[in-house]
Amino acid sequence: MLAMLILGEKTDICAQPHEIYDWFRNLTINYRSWHPDHESCRYVQGQSLQAGSVLYIEENLHGRLHKLRLKLISTEPDREIQYRIAPGIRGDFLITPTASGTQLQARVCLGWDLPVIGRLIDMLIAKIFQKQLEELREHMREEGQNLRALLGVNERP
């Protein structure tokens, strides 16, 4: 990766990888309970967790309603879900087994892998949208904490 802004959050969850993956498999049902800023979620093309499927979501970020289409790029059961929102915006969920459950890493990648110009674009994005990027990081952190709570587990010992 030559240049790109990567926002990421890791959350330890005392659940098995298949339980987390299954939770995402039922995202259209679970979406609103995941975060108070989540409004709606449905597949407009394809089926749950199948590459090529398109998920339409609505959520409040930065004080306004965002309507997004997430195209699933690839999924690996119990391990990874990759999606693309628009050119220059993609994300993933990495599900990694641990001794006491699972670590879920959520990432949003902004920018382009272009020599020199990609770094300049990333610097501009980071400067112009600093407040929105911090709010997105906080939203991602809250999603991780909320998912841990939804799966019935508080902080790990």
Side-chain angles (χ1 to χ4, degrees), residues 32-49:
R32 290 191 58 155
S33 65
W34 191 11
H35 195 284
D37 291 339
H38 291 178
E39 296 291 332
S40 67
C41 171
R42 63 183 161 80
Y43 280 93
V44 294
Q45 180 180 328
Q47 297 179 14
S48 180
L49 297 184

Side-chain angles (χ1 to χ4, degrees), residues 7 62 129-139:
L7 307 178
H62 327 299
F129 297 105
Q130 181 179 3
K131 182 178 184 231
Q132 290 89 343
L133 293 173
E134 287 304 318
E135 290 172 356
L136 181 56
R137 278 187 184 102
E138 177 64 16
H139 181 89

Side-chain angles (χ1 to χ4, degrees), residues 10 26 107:
K10 294 180 181 178
N26 294 302
R107 296 188 302 184

Side-chain angles (χ1 to χ4, degrees), residues 3 6 8 21 48 60 63-64 86 91 105 107 122 130-131 137:
I6 300 174
Y21 191 81
S48 180
N60 293 294
R64 64 178 211 159
Q105 181 178 6
R107 296 188 302 184
D122 293 347
Q130 181 179 3
K131 182 178 184 231
R137 278 187 184 102

